[in-house]
Amino acid sequence: MTHPFITRLERIVALSGPDRDAIERLTATTRAVPARQVILGEDEPARGLCVVVQGFACCFSHLRDGGRQITGFLLPGDCSSLPAVLLGARHSGIASLAPCLVATVGREALADLLLRHPLAGCALWSAALTQEQILREWIVNIGARSADRRVAHLFSELLTRLRQVGRSAGDRCVLPLTQEDLADTLGLSTVHVNRTLQALRGSGLLRFNRGVLTVPDARQLESFAGFTPDYLEARVATEVLLACAKRDVAQADRAPR
């Protein structure tokens, strides 16, 4: 099976053989993380890029009263915040929701990849921009949509993202999420989530049972949620970054050896 991180990046730009080889080397060493374990604590500095090779993880922040807000999901092929790693900034916590294989690319190795492989760098920066777009869409989802449309929009997004890396089976996909996870993601109570899932099931839009999502008609669900997948890929920014990357590659090819 193709490395999901490479699959994710090649949706943005076609990588060269050396680009793919470099990424595979940097992510070859992985560690197994059991389900429901902290991968990176909220107070830990981001010393490297965390890449989810297998599994399902989330970014989170805890409140003083013990509450939790999930601020993002890391699916196979996703990585933690690139700007946070390069700037050494505080990162939100990262925890596994299912058993994961995680690779960590150190800051120096990451900087070397960006310098020596401009096309890979273009893809990484575009992926980072996409993460920002997803976060903005989540803000709209929580702030402006009704509970049933919040759930429908989130499930439409996750199904689309899993399809992008070949991790769905038609109208079904595995989502190792509890109703508490959904509540912490969508700004709802667990009781409200339960009632909403029952209503969506009753309307025939989706079924979510024991971590398996089934969507009989994806287009119908997307229409109900007001979901369009455009924000999942930073197309305009990618064109600009790609032009810069190709220029850097051309200059490197002309440089005396």
Side-chain angles (χ1 to χ4, degrees):
M1 182 178 293
T2 304
H3 195 302
F5 191 41
I6 293 177
T7 299
R8 182 76 71 186
L9 296 180
E10 287 210 299
R11 288 186 58 84
I12 301 168
V13 58
L15 300 174
S16 68
D19 292 331
R20 288 190 291 272
D21 291 344
I23 293 170
E24 286 186 350
R25 285 196 301 271
L26 290 176
T27 57
T29 301
T30 61
R31 63 187 176 106
V33 181
R36 305 286 162 173
Q37 297 292 315
V38 173
I39 297 172
L40 178 69
E42 292 177 83
D43 296 326
E44 295 180 51
R47 296 189 177 91
L49 193 71
C50 174
V51 179
V52 176
V53 178
Q54 291 182 23
F56 201 107
C58 71
C59 301
F60 68 91
S61 293
H62 277 120
L63 306 179
R64 291 184 179 180
D65 64 2
R68 178 186 65 163
Q69 179 67 49
I70 291 178
T71 57
F73 289 122
L74 300 180
L75 313 184
D78 286 339
C79 61
S80 58
S81 171
L82 177 63
V85 174
L86 294 178
L87 296 174
R90 181 181 178 276
H91 195 285
S92 61
I94 300 175
S96 61
L97 296 175
C100 291
L101 285 181
V102 177
T104 301
V105 182
R107 188 179 300 147
E108 291 185 3
L110 179 60
D112 186 69
L113 178 70
L114 296 175
L115 178 65
R116 296 178 181 274
H117 299 273
L119 292 177
C122 163
L124 281 170
W125 278 114
S126 294
L129 291 170
T130 297
Q131 288 178 332
E132 293 298 318
Q133 293 183 164
I134 290 173
L135 182 58
R136 285 195 294 272
E137 191 64 32
W138 277 33
I139 293 172
V140 173
N141 204 32
I142 293 175
R145 293 190 177 102
S146 60
D148 52 358
R149 285 175 168 77
R150 288 186 209 183
V151 174
H153 195 280
L154 178 65
F155 281 158
S156 293
E157 177 192 297
L158 292 175
L159 179 59
T160 300
R161 289 170 61 186
L162 288 168
R163 281 175 173 168
Q164 289 176 344
V165 288
R167 294 302 194 273
S168 68
D171 61 355
R172 292 164 56 90
C173 65
V174 175
L175 295 178
L177 301 174
T178 65
Q179 291 187 13
E180 183 179 0
D181 295 331
L182 292 172
D184 290 347
T185 302
L186 297 169
L188 301 169
S189 69
T190 53
V191 172
H192 203 166
V193 167
N194 182 273
R195 290 174 179 169
T196 302
L197 288 173
Q198 290 183 36
L200 290 170
R201 182 187 183 99
S203 64
L205 286 172
L206 61 84
R207 297 189 300 276
F208 184 62
N209 185 38
R210 296 184 179 181
V212 177
L213 172 67
T214 303
V215 179
D217 188 331
R219 289 187 178 180
Q220 184 180 13
L221 182 66
E222 292 170 3
S223 176
F224 173 77
F227 172 83
T228 56
D230 296 354
Y231 69 94
L232 294 178
E233 293 179 297
R235 291 186 179 87
V236 175
T238 297
E239 292 175 2
V240 176
L241 291 171
L242 183 56
C244 295
K246 288 181 176 179
R247 179 200 62 192
D248 292 342
V249 170
Q251 290 176 346
D253 290 341
R254 291 195 299 269
R257 301 182 185 277

